[in-house]
Amino acid sequence: MRLPTILLAVTLVATAGLALAASPVRQAILDGYAKEAGVAAFSAERGKAFFEASHAGGKPETPSCTTCHGMDPRMPGRTRAGKAIEPMAVSANPKRFTDSAFVEKWFKRNCDSVLGRPCSAAEKGDLIAYLSSL
Amino acid sequence: MPSSRNRARLLAAALAVSVSALAIGLLAGPRAEAEEEGMSIPPVADATVQAECSACHMAFPAALLPARSWRALMAGLDDHFGENAGLDPATTAKITDYLVANAADAGGHRSPVLRGLGPDDVPLRISETPWWERQHRGEVSPSAFKDPRVGSKANCVACHRDAARGFFGDD
């Protein structure tokens, strides 16, 4: 009775650990942005400030990432048309940042909507660092 | 058998209504049996349109706007009601083709959806067509659309729970 229980516990912990470990695709996406930005590491704090800031230059309806995603990335957001958006935090939604074409498509759209310009590779990396840190 | 199936459906619908925070009852919206009796509009049947046009709202049925509206809307995706919803040119063209081929006036069809629209009117919103306004006038208080659970006239699904399957309630 005892040994199986311990084994089960060990297995569960190991599985949880694996699930939390950075996905190789997410890491590759981050590595790509790091190379493009010429930086060694990203800053979750800068990513948080960027996520929460009100930006000028974009469309008036969408001044901030939080307009649709909300202040707590672990919670679902809501589009301006009322549809739920799955959480952005990797801890709440492990699928986040695991498909580079999808990630680039939404950065392209939403950076234009919110900032009126493309996001830099550094901004993208900081943001993913923040959303992976929660 | 059919009657017990119906009962099950009604029960399921009743449960869904009582559980859902957006339940129609609260907003005097279409009733649960809408699905049996109400207006049915073919939902989007194309996988690309479904995938690309349902991220921010339900994929609106092509039959709810004339072809000229879909062309104009698809030509301006980079500035879509205050958001960039842009797509690459090939995907944009594919979606435009589907929406135009299934539009309210496709094949010269005189759909009731077009009633009240002049030949030069190019509505970009379903919710601004005279047809849509007729369906909702008197049925829904204007404040219902501002209810935080609804938020927008474009949030059809908040009131028409089966809208994504093409069911829009009864008369």
PDB file of all heavy atoms in Angstrom, chain B residues 136-166:
ATOM      1  N   HIS B 136     -35.960  43.291 -33.612  1.00  0.00           N
ATOM      2  CA  HIS B 136     -35.689  43.589 -32.200  1.00  0.00           C
ATOM      3  C   HIS B 136     -36.523  44.732 -31.637  1.00  0.00           C
ATOM      4  O   HIS B 136     -36.607  44.878 -30.422  1.00  0.00           O
ATOM      5  CB  HIS B 136     -34.186  43.847 -31.996  1.00  0.00           C
ATOM      6  CG  HIS B 136     -33.372  42.619 -32.257  1.00  0.00           C
ATOM      7  ND1 HIS B 136     -32.953  42.263 -33.523  1.00  0.00           N
ATOM      8  CD2 HIS B 136     -32.983  41.616 -31.440  1.00  0.00           C
ATOM      9  CE1 HIS B 136     -32.317  41.109 -33.460  1.00  0.00           C
ATOM     10  NE2 HIS B 136     -32.315  40.691 -32.210  1.00  0.00           N
ATOM     11  N   ARG B 137     -37.100  45.531 -32.506  1.00  0.00           N
ATOM     12  CA  ARG B 137     -37.889  46.675 -32.024  1.00  0.00           C
ATOM     13  C   ARG B 137     -39.075  46.170 -31.211  1.00  0.00           C
ATOM     14  O   ARG B 137     -39.811  45.297 -31.646  1.00  0.00           O
ATOM     15  CB  ARG B 137     -38.384  47.504 -33.217  1.00  0.00           C
ATOM     16  CG  ARG B 137     -39.002  48.843 -32.803  1.00  0.00           C
ATOM     17  CD  ARG B 137     -39.428  49.646 -34.027  1.00  0.00           C
ATOM     18  NE  ARG B 137     -38.317  49.826 -34.960  1.00  0.00           N
ATOM     19  CZ  ARG B 137     -38.423  49.686 -36.284  1.00  0.00           C
ATOM     20  NH1 ARG B 137     -39.559  49.355 -36.843  1.00  0.00           N
ATOM     21  NH2 ARG B 137     -37.370  49.871 -37.053  1.00  0.00           N
ATOM     22  N   GLY B 138     -39.244  46.730 -30.014  1.00  0.00           N
ATOM     23  CA  GLY B 138     -40.379  46.323 -29.200  1.00  0.00           C
ATOM     24  C   GLY B 138     -40.154  45.009 -28.466  1.00  0.00           C
ATOM     25  O   GLY B 138     -40.780  44.743 -27.464  1.00  0.00           O
ATOM     26  N   GLU B 139     -39.237  44.180 -28.975  1.00  0.00           N
ATOM     27  CA  GLU B 139     -38.978  42.873 -28.362  1.00  0.00           C
ATOM     28  C   GLU B 139     -37.899  42.984 -27.291  1.00  0.00           C
ATOM     29  O   GLU B 139     -37.872  42.216 -26.340  1.00  0.00           O
ATOM     30  CB  GLU B 139     -38.490  41.873 -29.414  1.00  0.00           C
ATOM     31  CG  GLU B 139     -39.489  41.589 -30.520  1.00  0.00           C
ATOM     32  CD  GLU B 139     -40.471  40.501 -30.118  1.00  0.00           C
ATOM     33  OE1 GLU B 139     -40.427  40.056 -28.957  1.00  0.00           O
ATOM     34  OE2 GLU B 139     -41.282  40.110 -30.970  1.00  0.00           O
ATOM     35  N   VAL B 140     -36.983  43.905 -27.497  1.00  0.00           N
ATOM     36  CA  VAL B 140     -35.839  44.004 -26.604  1.00  0.00           C
ATOM     37  C   VAL B 140     -35.715  45.468 -26.203  1.00  0.00           C
ATOM     38  O   VAL B 140     -35.707  46.342 -27.067  1.00  0.00           O
ATOM     39  CB  VAL B 140     -34.525  43.610 -27.333  1.00  0.00           C
ATOM     40  CG1 VAL B 140     -33.453  43.275 -26.321  1.00  0.00           C
ATOM     41  CG2 VAL B 140     -34.749  42.459 -28.289  1.00  0.00           C
ATOM     42  N   SER B 141     -35.606  45.720 -24.923  1.00  0.00           N
ATOM     43  CA  SER B 141     -35.448  47.113 -24.522  1.00  0.00           C
ATOM     44  C   SER B 141     -34.016  47.527 -24.858  1.00  0.00           C
ATOM     45  O   SER B 141     -33.080  46.736 -24.701  1.00  0.00           O
ATOM     46  CB  SER B 141     -35.745  47.290 -23.039  1.00  0.00           C
ATOM     47  OG  SER B 141     -34.599  46.987 -22.289  1.00  0.00           O
ATOM     48  N   PRO B 142     -33.843  48.746 -25.343  1.00  0.00           N
ATOM     49  CA  PRO B 142     -32.506  49.179 -25.767  1.00  0.00           C
ATOM     50  C   PRO B 142     -31.459  48.984 -24.671  1.00  0.00           C
ATOM     51  O   PRO B 142     -30.288  48.729 -24.961  1.00  0.00           O
ATOM     52  CB  PRO B 142     -32.700  50.666 -26.090  1.00  0.00           C
ATOM     53  CG  PRO B 142     -34.166  50.811 -26.392  1.00  0.00           C
ATOM     54  CD  PRO B 142     -34.876  49.772 -25.562  1.00  0.00           C
ATOM     55  N   SER B 143     -31.894  49.070 -23.408  1.00  0.00           N
ATOM     56  CA  SER B 143     -30.909  48.930 -22.331  1.00  0.00           C
ATOM     57  C   SER B 143     -30.380  47.498 -22.238  1.00  0.00           C
ATOM     58  O   SER B 143     -29.296  47.272 -21.704  1.00  0.00           O
ATOM     59  CB  SER B 143     -31.529  49.352 -20.997  1.00  0.00           C
ATOM     60  OG  SER B 143     -32.592  48.481 -20.669  1.00  0.00           O
ATOM     61  N   ALA B 144     -31.132  46.528 -22.761  1.00  0.00           N
ATOM     62  CA  ALA B 144     -30.674  45.135 -22.684  1.00  0.00           C
ATOM     63  C   ALA B 144     -29.329  44.956 -23.390  1.00  0.00           C
ATOM     64  O   ALA B 144     -28.505  44.138 -22.987  1.00  0.00           O
ATOM     65  CB  ALA B 144     -31.712  44.195 -23.289  1.00  0.00           C
ATOM     66  N   PHE B 145     -29.121  45.741 -24.459  1.00  0.00           N
ATOM     67  CA  PHE B 145     -27.856  45.605 -25.203  1.00  0.00           C
ATOM     68  C   PHE B 145     -26.686  46.188 -24.416  1.00  0.00           C
ATOM     69  O   PHE B 145     -25.536  45.897 -24.699  1.00  0.00           O
ATOM     70  CB  PHE B 145     -27.974  46.286 -26.564  1.00  0.00           C
ATOM     71  CG  PHE B 145     -29.009  45.655 -27.437  1.00  0.00           C
ATOM     72  CD1 PHE B 145     -30.172  46.328 -27.759  1.00  0.00           C
ATOM     73  CD2 PHE B 145     -28.829  44.366 -27.921  1.00  0.00           C
ATOM     74  CE1 PHE B 145     -31.136  45.736 -28.560  1.00  0.00           C
ATOM     75  CE2 PHE B 145     -29.796  43.764 -28.722  1.00  0.00           C
ATOM     76  CZ  PHE B 145     -30.948  44.450 -29.032  1.00  0.00           C
ATOM     77  N   LYS B 146     -27.001  47.042 -23.443  1.00  0.00           N
ATOM     78  CA  LYS B 146     -25.921  47.647 -22.650  1.00  0.00           C
ATOM     79  C   LYS B 146     -25.691  46.853 -21.364  1.00  0.00           C
ATOM     80  O   LYS B 146     -24.756  47.145 -20.620  1.00  0.00           O
ATOM     81  CB  LYS B 146     -26.276  49.095 -22.314  1.00  0.00           C
ATOM     82  CG  LYS B 146     -26.485  49.935 -23.564  1.00  0.00           C
ATOM     83  CD  LYS B 146     -26.151  51.407 -23.328  1.00  0.00           C
ATOM     84  CE  LYS B 146     -26.271  52.241 -24.591  1.00  0.00           C
ATOM     85  NZ  LYS B 146     -27.692  52.580 -24.904  1.00  0.00           N
ATOM     86  N   ASP B 147     -26.553  45.876 -21.103  1.00  0.00           N
ATOM     87  CA  ASP B 147     -26.344  45.025 -19.931  1.00  0.00           C
ATOM     88  C   ASP B 147     -24.921  44.471 -20.005  1.00  0.00           C
ATOM     89  O   ASP B 147     -24.497  44.004 -21.053  1.00  0.00           O
ATOM     90  CB  ASP B 147     -27.369  43.887 -19.970  1.00  0.00           C
ATOM     91  CG  ASP B 147     -27.302  43.012 -18.730  1.00  0.00           C
ATOM     92  OD1 ASP B 147     -26.254  42.363 -18.509  1.00  0.00           O
ATOM     93  OD2 ASP B 147     -28.299  42.972 -17.998  1.00  0.00           O
ATOM     94  N   PRO B 148     -24.190  44.526 -18.877  1.00  0.00           N
ATOM     95  CA  PRO B 148     -22.798  44.055 -18.930  1.00  0.00           C
ATOM     96  C   PRO B 148     -22.659  42.615 -19.420  1.00  0.00           C
ATOM     97  O   PRO B 148     -21.622  42.243 -19.963  1.00  0.00           O
ATOM     98  CB  PRO B 148     -22.306  44.203 -17.492  1.00  0.00           C
ATOM     99  CG  PRO B 148     -23.454  44.678 -16.678  1.00  0.00           C
ATOM    100  CD  PRO B 148     -24.568  45.081 -17.575  1.00  0.00           C
ATOM    101  N   ARG B 149     -23.711  41.813 -19.242  1.00  0.00           N
ATOM    102  CA  ARG B 149     -23.604  40.428 -19.710  1.00  0.00           C
ATOM    103  C   ARG B 149     -23.742  40.342 -21.226  1.00  0.00           C
ATOM    104  O   ARG B 149     -23.436  39.329 -21.832  1.00  0.00           O
ATOM    105  CB  ARG B 149     -24.678  39.561 -19.050  1.00  0.00           C
ATOM    106  CG  ARG B 149     -24.437  39.359 -17.558  1.00  0.00           C
ATOM    107  CD  ARG B 149     -25.697  38.895 -16.864  1.00  0.00           C
ATOM    108  NE  ARG B 149     -26.759  39.886 -16.980  1.00  0.00           N
ATOM    109  CZ  ARG B 149     -27.971  39.747 -16.445  1.00  0.00           C
ATOM    110  NH1 ARG B 149     -28.283  38.649 -15.783  1.00  0.00           N
ATOM    111  NH2 ARG B 149     -28.872  40.694 -16.586  1.00  0.00           N
ATOM    112  N   VAL B 150     -24.248  41.396 -21.832  1.00  0.00           N
ATOM    113  CA  VAL B 150     -24.413  41.414 -23.293  1.00  0.00           C
ATOM    114  C   VAL B 150     -23.333  42.309 -23.896  1.00  0.00           C
ATOM    115  O   VAL B 150     -22.495  41.856 -24.677  1.00  0.00           O
ATOM    116  CB  VAL B 150     -25.822  41.910 -23.681  1.00  0.00           C
ATOM    117  CG1 VAL B 150     -25.967  41.967 -25.193  1.00  0.00           C
ATOM    118  CG2 VAL B 150     -26.888  41.008 -23.075  1.00  0.00           C
ATOM    119  N   GLY B 151     -23.369  43.582 -23.531  1.00  0.00           N
ATOM    120  CA  GLY B 151     -22.282  44.486 -23.911  1.00  0.00           C
ATOM    121  C   GLY B 151     -22.388  45.081 -25.298  1.00  0.00           C
ATOM    122  O   GLY B 151     -21.888  46.167 -25.530  1.00  0.00           O
ATOM    123  N   SER B 152     -23.029  44.360 -26.222  1.00  0.00           N
ATOM    124  CA  SER B 152     -23.022  44.816 -27.609  1.00  0.00           C
ATOM    125  C   SER B 152     -24.145  44.137 -28.380  1.00  0.00           C
ATOM    126  O   SER B 152     -24.455  42.975 -28.133  1.00  0.00           O
ATOM    127  CB  SER B 152     -21.676  44.452 -28.235  1.00  0.00           C
ATOM    128  OG  SER B 152     -21.768  44.491 -29.636  1.00  0.00           O
ATOM    129  N   LYS B 153     -24.718  44.883 -29.316  1.00  0.00           N
ATOM    130  CA  LYS B 153     -25.715  44.276 -30.207  1.00  0.00           C
ATOM    131  C   LYS B 153     -25.113  43.119 -30.991  1.00  0.00           C
ATOM    132  O   LYS B 153     -25.811  42.196 -31.408  1.00  0.00           O
ATOM    133  CB  LYS B 153     -26.237  45.329 -31.193  1.00  0.00           C
ATOM    134  CG  LYS B 153     -27.132  46.358 -30.550  1.00  0.00           C
ATOM    135  CD  LYS B 153     -27.627  47.355 -31.590  1.00  0.00           C
ATOM    136  CE  LYS B 153     -28.519  48.382 -30.896  1.00  0.00           C
ATOM    137  NZ  LYS B 153     -28.922  49.468 -31.802  1.00  0.00           N
ATOM    138  N   ALA B 154     -23.808  43.191 -31.217  1.00  0.00           N
ATOM    139  CA  ALA B 154     -23.147  42.151 -32.005  1.00  0.00           C
ATOM    140  C   ALA B 154     -22.989  40.847 -31.215  1.00  0.00           C
ATOM    141  O   ALA B 154     -22.599  39.826 -31.780  1.00  0.00           O
ATOM    142  CB  ALA B 154     -21.775  42.651 -32.463  1.00  0.00           C
ATOM    143  N   ASN B 155     -23.283  40.889 -29.925  1.00  0.00           N
ATOM    144  CA  ASN B 155     -23.134  39.692 -29.090  1.00  0.00           C
ATOM    145  C   ASN B 155     -24.413  38.860 -29.166  1.00  0.00           C
ATOM    146  O   ASN B 155     -25.071  38.597 -28.160  1.00  0.00           O
ATOM    147  CB  ASN B 155     -22.819  40.103 -27.652  1.00  0.00           C
ATOM    148  CG  ASN B 155     -22.341  38.936 -26.802  1.00  0.00           C
ATOM    149  OD1 ASN B 155     -22.183  37.825 -27.309  1.00  0.00           O
ATOM    150  ND2 ASN B 155     -22.125  39.186 -25.527  1.00  0.00           N
ATOM    151  N   CYS B 156     -24.749  38.408 -30.374  1.00  0.00           N
ATOM    152  CA  CYS B 156     -25.984  37.655 -30.607  1.00  0.00           C
ATOM    153  C   CYS B 156     -26.105  36.492 -29.623  1.00  0.00           C
ATOM    154  O   CYS B 156     -27.190  36.194 -29.121  1.00  0.00           O
ATOM    155  CB  CYS B 156     -26.033  37.079 -32.021  1.00  0.00           C
ATOM    156  SG  CYS B 156     -25.423  38.136 -33.333  1.00  0.00           S
ATOM    157  N   VAL B 157     -24.975  35.824 -29.375  1.00  0.00           N
ATOM    158  CA  VAL B 157     -24.982  34.596 -28.583  1.00  0.00           C
ATOM    159  C   VAL B 157     -25.414  34.825 -27.136  1.00  0.00           C
ATOM    160  O   VAL B 157     -25.925  33.919 -26.481  1.00  0.00           O
ATOM    161  CB  VAL B 157     -23.577  33.944 -28.618  1.00  0.00           C
ATOM    162  CG1 VAL B 157     -23.594  32.563 -28.017  1.00  0.00           C
ATOM    163  CG2 VAL B 157     -23.083  33.872 -30.042  1.00  0.00           C
ATOM    164  N   ALA B 158     -25.238  36.065 -26.648  1.00  0.00           N
ATOM    165  CA  ALA B 158     -25.648  36.344 -25.267  1.00  0.00           C
ATOM    166  C   ALA B 158     -27.147  36.119 -25.108  1.00  0.00           C
ATOM    167  O   ALA B 158     -27.598  35.695 -24.043  1.00  0.00           O
ATOM    168  CB  ALA B 158     -25.272  37.773 -24.890  1.00  0.00           C
ATOM    169  N   CYS B 159     -27.912  36.399 -26.140  1.00  0.00           N
ATOM    170  CA  CYS B 159     -29.368  36.247 -26.059  1.00  0.00           C
ATOM    171  C   CYS B 159     -29.859  35.037 -26.835  1.00  0.00           C
ATOM    172  O   CYS B 159     -30.815  34.382 -26.442  1.00  0.00           O
ATOM    173  CB  CYS B 159     -30.050  37.498 -26.587  1.00  0.00           C
ATOM    174  SG  CYS B 159     -29.586  38.982 -25.675  1.00  0.00           S
ATOM    175  N   HIS B 160     -29.229  34.767 -27.958  1.00  0.00           N
ATOM    176  CA  HIS B 160     -29.614  33.619 -28.793  1.00  0.00           C
ATOM    177  C   HIS B 160     -28.571  32.540 -28.565  1.00  0.00           C
ATOM    178  O   HIS B 160     -27.571  32.471 -29.283  1.00  0.00           O
ATOM    179  CB  HIS B 160     -29.642  34.010 -30.272  1.00  0.00           C
ATOM    180  CG  HIS B 160     -30.545  35.160 -30.590  1.00  0.00           C
ATOM    181  ND1 HIS B 160     -31.904  35.020 -30.671  1.00  0.00           N
ATOM    182  CD2 HIS B 160     -30.292  36.469 -30.844  1.00  0.00           C
ATOM    183  CE1 HIS B 160     -32.448  36.198 -30.969  1.00  0.00           C
ATOM    184  NE2 HIS B 160     -31.495  37.085 -31.083  1.00  0.00           N
ATOM    185  N   ARG B 161     -28.802  31.696 -27.557  1.00  0.00           N
ATOM    186  CA  ARG B 161     -27.743  30.772 -27.149  1.00  0.00           C
ATOM    187  C   ARG B 161     -27.339  29.792 -28.239  1.00  0.00           C
ATOM    188  O   ARG B 161     -26.226  29.288 -28.246  1.00  0.00           O
ATOM    189  CB  ARG B 161     -28.164  29.990 -25.896  1.00  0.00           C
ATOM    190  CG  ARG B 161     -27.988  30.785 -24.614  1.00  0.00           C
ATOM    191  CD  ARG B 161     -28.433  29.991 -23.421  1.00  0.00           C
ATOM    192  NE  ARG B 161     -29.785  29.506 -23.632  1.00  0.00           N
ATOM    193  CZ  ARG B 161     -30.121  28.235 -23.670  1.00  0.00           C
ATOM    194  NH1 ARG B 161     -29.221  27.300 -23.499  1.00  0.00           N
ATOM    195  NH2 ARG B 161     -31.376  27.882 -23.879  1.00  0.00           N
ATOM    196  N   ASP B 162     -28.282  29.529 -29.158  1.00  0.00           N
ATOM    197  CA  ASP B 162     -27.978  28.565 -30.214  1.00  0.00           C
ATOM    198  C   ASP B 162     -27.645  29.238 -31.535  1.00  0.00           C
ATOM    199  O   ASP B 162     -27.700  28.609 -32.587  1.00  0.00           O
ATOM    200  CB  ASP B 162     -29.154  27.598 -30.391  1.00  0.00           C
ATOM    201  CG  ASP B 162     -29.106  26.473 -29.369  1.00  0.00           C
ATOM    202  OD1 ASP B 162     -27.978  26.014 -29.079  1.00  0.00           O
ATOM    203  OD2 ASP B 162     -30.159  26.080 -28.861  1.00  0.00           O
ATOM    204  N   ALA B 163     -27.292  30.529 -31.463  1.00  0.00           N
ATOM    205  CA  ALA B 163     -27.038  31.279 -32.695  1.00  0.00           C
ATOM    206  C   ALA B 163     -25.929  30.636 -33.531  1.00  0.00           C
ATOM    207  O   ALA B 163     -26.007  30.606 -34.754  1.00  0.00           O
ATOM    208  CB  ALA B 163     -26.691  32.725 -32.369  1.00  0.00           C
ATOM    209  N   ALA B 164     -24.902  30.111 -32.867  1.00  0.00           N
ATOM    210  CA  ALA B 164     -23.789  29.541 -33.613  1.00  0.00           C
ATOM    211  C   ALA B 164     -24.247  28.335 -34.442  1.00  0.00           C
ATOM    212  O   ALA B 164     -23.618  27.977 -35.427  1.00  0.00           O
ATOM    213  CB  ALA B 164     -22.653  29.146 -32.678  1.00  0.00           C
ATOM    214  N   ARG B 165     -25.380  27.733 -34.038  1.00  0.00           N
ATOM    215  CA  ARG B 165     -25.911  26.625 -34.824  1.00  0.00           C
ATOM    216  C   ARG B 165     -27.029  27.093 -35.761  1.00  0.00           C
ATOM    217  O   ARG B 165     -27.693  26.288 -36.405  1.00  0.00           O
ATOM    218  CB  ARG B 165     -26.410  25.513 -33.907  1.00  0.00           C
ATOM    219  CG  ARG B 165     -25.234  24.819 -33.184  1.00  0.00           C
ATOM    220  CD  ARG B 165     -25.656  23.494 -32.573  1.00  0.00           C
ATOM    221  NE  ARG B 165     -26.604  23.680 -31.491  1.00  0.00           N
ATOM    222  CZ  ARG B 165     -27.733  22.974 -31.363  1.00  0.00           C
ATOM    223  NH1 ARG B 165     -28.045  22.039 -32.245  1.00  0.00           N
ATOM    224  NH2 ARG B 165     -28.537  23.202 -30.353  1.00  0.00           N
ATOM    225  N   GLY B 166     -27.274  28.401 -35.769  1.00  0.00           N
ATOM    226  CA  GLY B 166     -28.219  28.944 -36.732  1.00  0.00           C
ATOM    227  C   GLY B 166     -29.611  29.221 -36.186  1.00  0.00           C
ATOM    228  O   GLY B 166     -30.488  29.643 -36.936  1.00  0.00           O
TER     229      GLY B 166
END
